Amino acid sequence: MVNKKIKDRYDVLRVSFVVIFSIIILKLGYMTIIKGDYYFEQAQNKVYKKILVEGPRGEIRDRYGRLLAGNRASFTVQLLKNEIEKANANEVGQRVINVLEKNGEKYIDEFPIIRQNGQFAYTYDKNIQEWKDKYDIPASYNAKESFYHIVDGLVDEGVIRVDNNTTEYDLQKMLNENGYYPPIYVSKWEFAENVKKAQWLYRYRIKEENISAEDAFGKLKEYFDVSDDLNNDEARKILLFRDLLKSQGYLQYQPIKLAIDVKKETVAEIEELAIELPGVSIETEPIRYYPNENLASHILGQIGKISQQTEIDTYTTDKGYSISDMIGKTGIEKTFEDKLHGEKGFKKVVVDSAGRLIEKIEIQSPKAGDTVYLTIDKDLQKVAEDSLEKLLKTIQVGGTYESPWGNYRLNDGKKIYNKATSGAVVALDVKTGEVLAMASYPDYDPNLFATGITTEDMNSLLPKNKNNPLAAKPLYNIATMTFVQPGSVFKMITGLAAIDNGLDPNYEIYDKGRIMLGNKSFGCWIWNERRGSHGATNLYKAIEQSCNYYMYSVSVGYDYAKEKPLPVKMNVDEILRYARLFGLDEKTGIEIEEIPGKVPNPEDKFETTKRSLKYALDRKLKTYFDDITGEDNQEYEKRIGKIVSWMAENPGRGTLLKRLEDLHIKEDKVAEVADLIKYSYFNQAKWTTGDTFNISIGQGANSYTPLQMANYISGLVNGGYKNKVTVVDKIESYDKMNIDKVDLEREKIPLNDNSNLEEIKKAMLRVTQQGTAKKVFGQFPVKVGAKTGTAQKSGRIPTADEVEYLISHMSSYGVNTQEALALADEYEKAEDSKYSKDYYIRKALYKLNPRLTYDEINRFKDTYDNFAWFVSFAPYDDPEIAVVSLIFQGGHGGYAAPVARDIMVEYFGLTKNEDDYDVKEKLNIKEELKR
């Protein structure tokens, strides 16, 4: 009985084993036969990895195929994390960095703790402070205060318009559109650098808030087991090396770049030390190369590492870039990044479960990016840049501009314009809108950015006086991003508006020198200069001799000499309507960064100024009342509204001071607020006949970029077509199988009578034949139409050191220097240094001498010199090219003319010894080269 039970149990076990093994065999069969391909692919994906290899960046060439931006082979020092960490990583890092330093090589140093003057500091904090310094933002301002500091400044300048419904996101968009990119997350009012710092510290599990840089440095030494026997400099080398490795995360098979473009001597030394430097290798990689150095730098732009959070999101998250990739930051490099970046190759490798490299099994070569052909002519661009630089340097010393086509003295015998340190010139094909040349001075060498720019080089490219908005800025493209008053080169708009509305161009207005509006004189330049007059003046003479009196009269449709209306209805709205027709209120369409000027709007001026004032006061006066703060919303809003309500009345300064005192504005703030509302808002609010006069001669609220002006001149002379400007000719694919030609766009300008454009051209021809540009173009073999323009710039030039300026002139302010500085220190301590030092000194001056005004404090500063504009086209009979030049503080409009002449000499293939020329022949030769 017992044996039977045991036998039955064995039978059960036997059956169980058979069933279990049967299931296993069936499962294995299913996995290997039915689902074999699926699981094989899964296994392969777990084992095989692709190491991406950067493809050469696409080239940029001129319209005839000449290289402007290409690539050259370079040696890169790379690190393999898994191999280094098998060895002594600290020793390897210290050793390889010492080799690089000994040979004077630049290496990637993104370790965010540095030592300055013997003290530890975060680079994150340094970056925030440098950004604040750039925009003169008080050091103590938080992210929100810093953001609105920039906004308030642009509102005061009329660059952006806001009201109470404008959100921070609207403001951020406005700032970006005007070339400002505050490194601030407006959603949580945090500096982007502070967010990065928190993320970096969390990488090492450092969660203490406000941990000092020195303490963090100590914790990282412990984390990486760095010997205390090493000094701080040697310890930092190890930490930056280990931090670079750690930034790679778990992708241990991906190489890390430590140094780019190293010398052959360095390559040889590292290869000799291969055994002692495991995981350190040398690879050959292409790097960006600009063979012509500074040539067309503002058009080409620059490249740099992915850095900002928006770039990280766009390129690494959305487009699959590596965090160490170089991308276009400005210019064509940025706009056509997707085309230029190319297609990455790869090395297929086998890695283990920890991500360590086991074997390389496949290599696919990368493909270069597409080639972008520009519309510029390299030779013409070179002439434009060289001539612009030569002209500026000649103006600065009051010298003579020498040329085979006639020397031109840049000195009026009264003043030398030594502040003429920057300018721009644009040459357009008037029929197509293609940019033939575009130069901005000073410029820069984009090669400096190709492998990462040094702090020293970057500092050399920053303006010497950050407080002066007109200081020379090598990185800034004046041609497309700086809009200033056009002066007399705007007069063709006023003249065209008048004759297109019915005024006979031969109708004469007698120039009596000046027009009096109340007690204010609006004089023609000849009156202001020597009490002269142009006499009887028609349209042709008005443009030829730049007669302001004629333009004043036609702008309002009134003959002030005869004291009767003109036979045409005219007003400022008509002038500005024609300005808009010619594109002066919009972007030109060029493919690189552009911040256009805007046509003013008289109808909206009062309400816009009113809204801007309310916004500015709401931001500014929160701590200015002695009995309430900005937190007392209802009463605070009531008082702000009361101040704004005075705008239509525009009371005198004395009345304003009394009213502000009655509103309980603090005693030391009254003068500041009075000057702000009186001079920046109240006096600017209402549109007057004087405003119209100023608009008619290119002054007042007019402001446009050189590129906008060049496109406007093109429309005047090409038969009345507004072009969409382009600097790109075509894009050719890597394999040359696909060529995308840029579409040229133009639209007809709706004039009442298109033939009126010929009258404007006739007047511009007289400028070069017998008018203000005769000295430059009088003997030129090509007939050229032109107009000179001298635009005024009001205000005083800020000094580089405002504190030094105030102290040096303290005795002239009627106060004791020591008393003023002591009071300023008290204010600064009381407010915990919320503002810059000069702010507290000014505050003390107002307190000690209440009669002082803003203008009186600044009266010892230098004034701005006039801008010099020159617009031109040629040939007269069949215009092909328009050239516009602008010289900041160049003194006289004619002083900008020689650079335009040099460009035309090159364009038409002229030399001093050539009696004959054939424009069409020259163009045909170039087009054959292009094909």
Side-chain angles (χ1 to χ4, degrees):
M1 192 70 178
V2 173
N3 289 336
K4 186 175 185 307
K5 287 182 180 180
I6 292 173
K7 185 176 181 299
D8 290 341
R9 289 173 184 170
Y10 277 124
D11 289 338
V12 171
L13 286 172
R14 191 180 299 110
V15 171
S16 298
F17 278 121
V18 169
V19 171
I20 291 170
F21 278 111
S22 297
I23 292 172
I24 292 173
I25 290 169
L26 289 171
K27 185 65 175 178
L28 286 172
Y30 173 81
M31 292 176 66
T32 57
I33 298 172
I34 298 175
K35 299 287 289 184
D37 291 340
Y38 171 80
Y39 288 112
F40 177 79
E41 185 179 346
Q42 290 291 91
Q44 292 294 88
N45 288 338
K46 290 179 181 178
V47 175
Y48 295 106
K49 296 291 182 182
K50 286 183 179 179
I51 301 175
L52 298 178
V53 179
E54 192 66 48
R57 198 166 177 81
E59 295 176 338
I60 304 175
R61 295 179 175 270
D62 84 338
R63 67 189 297 122
Y64 305 117
R66 292 170 292 190
L67 187 66
L68 300 174
N71 306 285
R72 62 179 176 82
S74 71
F75 296 111
T76 300
V77 180
Q78 294 189 348
L79 311 175
L80 281 175
K81 180 178 179 180
N82 64 313
E83 293 185 21
I84 291 172
E85 291 187 340
K86 289 177 186 176
N88 187 329
N90 289 358
E91 184 178 330
V92 172
Q94 187 178 15
R95 187 76 180 272
V96 70
I97 290 177
N98 284 337
V99 170
L100 294 171
E101 287 186 343
K102 184 187 71 172
N103 292 316
E105 305 284 9
K106 293 188 301 182
Y107 55 88
I108 294 173
D109 181 357
E110 296 176 347
F111 189 65
I113 298 177
I114 57 176
R115 282 172 57 81
Q116 293 180 317
N117 302 320
Q119 301 294 318
F120 288 93
Y122 290 110
T123 58
Y124 304 110
D125 299 338
K126 179 173 176 284
N127 293 339
I128 293 173
Q129 189 55 52
E130 287 178 349
W131 176 76
K132 287 183 176 180
D133 290 343
K134 180 179 179 181
Y135 294 104
D136 199 25
I137 299 171
S140 64
Y141 271 24
N142 60 30
K144 188 172 184 178
E145 291 169 332
S146 299
F147 181 86
Y148 279 103
H149 178 91
I150 295 179
V151 170
D152 294 345
L154 295 177
V155 169
D156 290 343
E157 294 172 11
V159 177
I160 61 176
R161 300 171 182 174
V162 299
D163 54 40
N164 290 340
N165 296 320
T166 306
T167 68
E168 59 267 28
Y169 301 103
D170 297 329
L171 292 172
Q172 187 178 47
K173 182 180 179 182
M174 291 180 193
L175 293 181
N176 294 166
E177 289 174 346
N178 285 281
Y180 294 85
Y181 300 92
I184 293 168
Y185 292 110
V186 296
S187 58
K188 49 189 176 184
W189 292 119
E190 283 279 357
F191 286 110
E193 292 294 310
N194 283 340
V195 174
K196 290 181 187 177
K197 178 166 67 173
Q199 291 171 343
W200 180 76
L201 290 171
Y202 185 76
R203 183 193 296 174
Y204 297 101
R205 299 298 183 264
I206 299 174
K207 300 178 182 178
E208 296 96 318
E209 290 187 13
N210 303 318
I211 184 172
S212 70
E214 184 172 3
D215 289 343
F217 191 86
K219 284 182 175 291
L220 263 67
K221 283 178 63 178
E222 294 177 13
Y223 186 91
F224 288 119
D225 195 23
V226 177
S227 173
D228 289 333
D229 294 335
L230 295 175
N231 62 39
N232 288 323
D233 290 336
E234 290 300 312
R236 188 180 180 280
K237 292 177 187 177
I238 295 173
L239 292 182
L240 80 85
F241 183 83
R242 297 300 299 274
D243 184 62
L244 186 61
L245 294 177
K246 190 170 181 62
S247 68
Q248 189 74 351
Y250 293 101
L251 302 178
Q252 300 184 48
Y253 54 87
Q254 289 279 15
I256 306 166
K257 296 175 184 178
L258 175 62
I260 300 171
D261 198 25
V262 299
K263 297 187 285 283
K264 292 180 180 179
E265 294 80 4
T266 303
V267 172
E269 187 168 351
I270 289 177
E271 289 182 341
E272 287 176 5
L273 297 172
I275 297 176
E276 301 170 45
L277 297 175
V280 179
S281 63
I282 302 292
E283 296 289 339
T284 302
E285 288 192 342
I287 64 168
R288 203 54 161 168
Y289 173 56
Y290 303 89
N292 307 295
E293 298 179 339
N294 293 42
L295 187 77
S297 56
H298 294 105
I299 299 175
L300 298 175
Q302 60 194 244
I303 64 172
K305 283 191 66 176
I306 295 171
S307 56
Q308 300 177 11
Q309 188 60 47
T310 54
E311 292 175 346
I312 293 172
D313 294 341
T314 299
Y315 292 105
T316 63
T317 305
D318 299 340
K319 298 183 179 181
Y321 282 51
S322 300
I323 192 66
S324 61
D325 283 351
M326 303 291 276
I327 60 170
K329 294 281 189 172
T330 61
I332 294 296
E333 294 280 23
K334 178 180 180 181
T335 305
F336 292 91
E337 169 62 31
D338 290 347
K339 298 288 186 181
L340 291 167
H341 188 71
E343 184 178 324
K344 293 185 178 183
F346 64 85
K347 297 176 183 177
K348 201 167 187 181
V349 299
V350 182
V351 297
D352 62 15
S353 59
R356 292 185 288 267
L357 178 65
I358 297 173
E359 181 186 1
K360 296 178 183 178
I361 60 173
E362 184 183 348
I363 296 177
Q364 179 173 302
S365 299
K367 294 181 180 179
D370 295 346
T371 299
V372 177
Y373 287 85
L374 304 184
T375 60
I376 67 170
D377 176 338
K378 176 175 170 284
D379 294 339
L380 199 65
Q381 180 72 22
K382 176 69 171 169
V383 168
E385 294 184 9
D386 290 348
S387 180
L388 180 61
E389 181 179 3
K390 175 184 173 183
L391 180 66
L392 284 163
K393 291 180 177 177
T394 307
I395 293 175
Q396 290 168 28
V397 297
T400 298
Y401 192 92
E402 297 182 354
S403 167
W405 297 98
N407 297 337
Y408 187 34
R409 188 182 179 210
L410 301 172
N411 187 336
D412 59 9
K414 300 175 184 177
K415 182 176 181 178
I416 293 175
Y417 297 95
N418 57 7
K419 297 191 289 289
T421 57
S422 55
V425 61
V426 177
L428 292 183
D429 183 320
V430 303
K431 297 179 180 179
T432 65
E434 293 174 304
V435 177
L436 303 175
M438 182 168 66
S440 181
Y441 186 87
D443 51 24
Y444 66 97
D445 183 357
N447 286 302
L448 294 173
F449 295 87
T451 59
I453 191 168
T454 65
T455 301
E456 182 180 0
D457 285 336
M458 190 66 200
N459 288 337
S460 71
L461 298 176
L462 298 177
K464 300 296 184 290
N465 179 0
K466 64 182 178 63
N467 297 321
N468 179 10
L470 295 187
K473 302 178 181 70
L475 296 175
Y476 207 73
N477 188 357
I478 293 171
T480 64
M481 300 174 70
T482 301
F483 44 90
V484 298
Q485 292 167 320
S488 293
V489 297
F490 184 82
K491 287 177 178 176
M492 285 81 76
I493 289 286
T494 303
L496 178 62
I499 65 173
D500 203 45
N501 276 286
L503 183 68
D504 187 337
N506 290 297
Y507 183 95
E508 290 186 339
I509 297 173
Y510 191 84
D511 174 9
K512 296 177 66 175
R514 67 172 177 173
I515 297 171
M516 294 297 297
L517 295 179
N519 61 355
K520 189 168 183 179
S521 171
F522 288 84
C524 194
W525 67 266
I526 196 172
W527 171 270
N528 296 335
E529 190 174 284
R530 54 180 182 271
R531 292 297 184 264
S533 165
H534 290 111
T537 305
N538 59 18
L539 171 75
Y540 310 113
K541 184 178 178 181
I543 290 177
E544 172 203 325
Q545 298 186 13
S546 205
C547 179
N548 290 350
Y549 194 100
Y550 178 91
M551 297 298 165
Y552 292 155
S553 299
V554 302
S555 71
V556 293
Y558 191 81
D559 188 333
Y560 284 87
K562 296 179 180 178
E563 297 185 351
K564 68 175 187 178
L566 291 172
V568 62
K569 280 192 172 183
M570 274 289 291
N571 53 47
V572 70
D573 292 332
E574 276 302 291
I575 296 172
L576 298 180
R577 182 172 73 86
Y578 278 78
R580 293 186 186 95
L581 289 178
F582 283 84
L584 293 180
D585 197 43
E586 59 193 44
K587 289 186 176 182
T588 65
I590 195 168
E591 293 87 350
I592 60 176
E593 296 82 4
E594 180 179 16
I595 304 176
K598 294 290 185 181
V599 173
N601 189 338
E603 294 180 0
D604 293 343
K605 183 182 179 185
F606 185 83
E607 289 303 320
T608 298
T609 307
K610 193 173 180 180
R611 287 196 301 269
S612 295
L613 174 59
K614 187 178 188 306
Y615 172 82
L617 294 180
D618 184 48
R619 298 282 315 148
K620 191 176 187 67
L621 303 190
K622 292 189 182 296
T623 60
Y624 277 35
F625 295 98
D626 59 20
D627 61 336
I628 64 168
T629 69
E631 303 303 319
D632 303 311
N633 290 331
Q634 189 170 354
E635 179 61 23
Y636 183 72
E637 289 287 334
K638 181 180 177 181
R639 294 189 191 183
I640 296 295
K642 184 73 172 176
I643 296 172
V644 173
S645 71
W646 302 334
M647 181 175 286
E649 177 189 355
N650 191 11
R653 186 172 185 271
T655 303
L656 276 178
L657 291 171
K658 179 66 171 63
R659 290 184 183 181
L660 292 172
E661 289 174 1
D662 293 342
L663 282 183
H664 297 283
I665 293 286
K666 292 178 182 178
E667 183 182 354
D668 61 329
K669 302 287 190 181
V670 169
E672 176 192 343
V673 177
D675 288 346
L676 171 70
I677 62 178
K678 175 69 177 174
Y679 301 115
S680 296
Y681 293 94
F682 285 8
N683 285 357
Q684 314 301 325
K686 289 185 177 180
W687 194 270
T688 65
T689 300
D691 288 324
T692 299
F693 282 3
N694 284 329
I695 287 294
S696 73
I697 62 169
Q699 293 290 154
N702 274 313
S703 56
Y704 311 108
T705 67
L707 184 62
Q708 284 180 298
M709 297 304 288
N711 206 31
Y712 135 62
I713 296 300
S714 296
L716 282 178
V717 304
N718 66 9
Y721 290 91
K722 182 176 68 176
N723 294 319
K724 178 183 177 182
V725 175
T726 179
V727 73
V728 177
D729 178 29
K730 62 183 179 181
I731 301 173
E732 186 176 80
S733 62
Y734 168 74
D735 54 11
K736 299 187 178 181
M737 296 298 292
N738 186 34
I739 298 177
D740 292 328
K741 182 76 175 176
V742 172
D743 293 331
L744 300 175
E745 299 178 23
R746 63 192 319 210
E747 62 179 88
K748 187 69 175 177
I749 298 171
L751 301 177
N752 295 326
D753 184 351
N754 215 57
S755 66
N756 284 317
L757 293 173
E758 289 301 316
E759 309 309 318
I760 298 297
K761 285 176 59 184
K762 290 176 186 176
M764 294 179 72
L765 178 64
R766 288 176 54 155
V767 173
T768 62
Q769 301 302 303
Q770 58 201 52
T772 54
K774 181 180 178 181
K775 288 182 180 179
V776 180
F777 281 99
Q779 302 302 315
F780 201 62
V782 181
K783 279 189 177 181
V784 176
K787 182 72 187 81
T788 58
T790 305
Q792 297 175 344
K793 167 69 176 174
S794 60
R796 300 274 179 172
I797 302 175
T799 61
D801 189 335
E802 286 289 289
V803 172
E804 181 183 353
Y805 166 81
L806 293 170
I807 293 175
S808 65
H809 295 94
M810 195 72 74
S811 60
S812 301
Y813 301 140
V815 300
N816 178 275
T817 301
Q818 297 306 317
E819 186 179 0
L821 292 177
L823 183 57
D825 287 340
E826 289 181 21
Y827 286 143
E828 189 172 12
K829 290 176 182 176
E831 296 187 15
D832 194 24
S833 301
K834 190 175 182 180
Y835 300 97
S836 55
K837 182 70 175 180
D838 64 285
Y839 167 84
Y840 295 103
I841 296 178
R842 289 174 185 273
K843 185 175 177 179
L845 291 175
Y846 286 126
K847 174 69 175 177
L848 296 173
N849 184 357
R851 293 187 301 276
L852 273 176
T853 65
Y854 178 85
D855 288 337
E856 288 172 342
I857 291 175
N858 290 310
R859 68 183 184 274
F860 301 105
K861 294 178 180 178
D862 199 359
T863 57
Y864 290 103
D865 290 329
N866 293 334
F867 291 87
W869 279 94
F870 187 78
V871 301
S872 57
F873 68 91
Y876 172 76
D877 294 327
D878 185 15
E880 297 177 8
I881 184 173
V883 183
V884 170
S885 49
L886 166 65
I887 306 298
F888 281 13
Q889 303 190 79
H892 300 289
Y895 286 5
V899 65
R901 183 178 63 183
D902 285 354
I903 289 173
M904 289 185 179
V905 167
E906 171 64 24
Y907 176 81
F908 292 119
L910 302 175
T911 68
K912 181 63 177 176
N913 297 323
E914 284 180 332
D915 296 325
D916 300 315
Y917 67 94
D918 188 337
V919 175
K920 295 299 182 184
E921 182 180 348
K922 176 178 173 63
L923 291 179
N924 288 338
I925 291 172
K926 287 196 170 186
E927 288 304 319
E928 286 178 11
L929 288 172
K930 186 176 176 183
R931 288 193 290 269

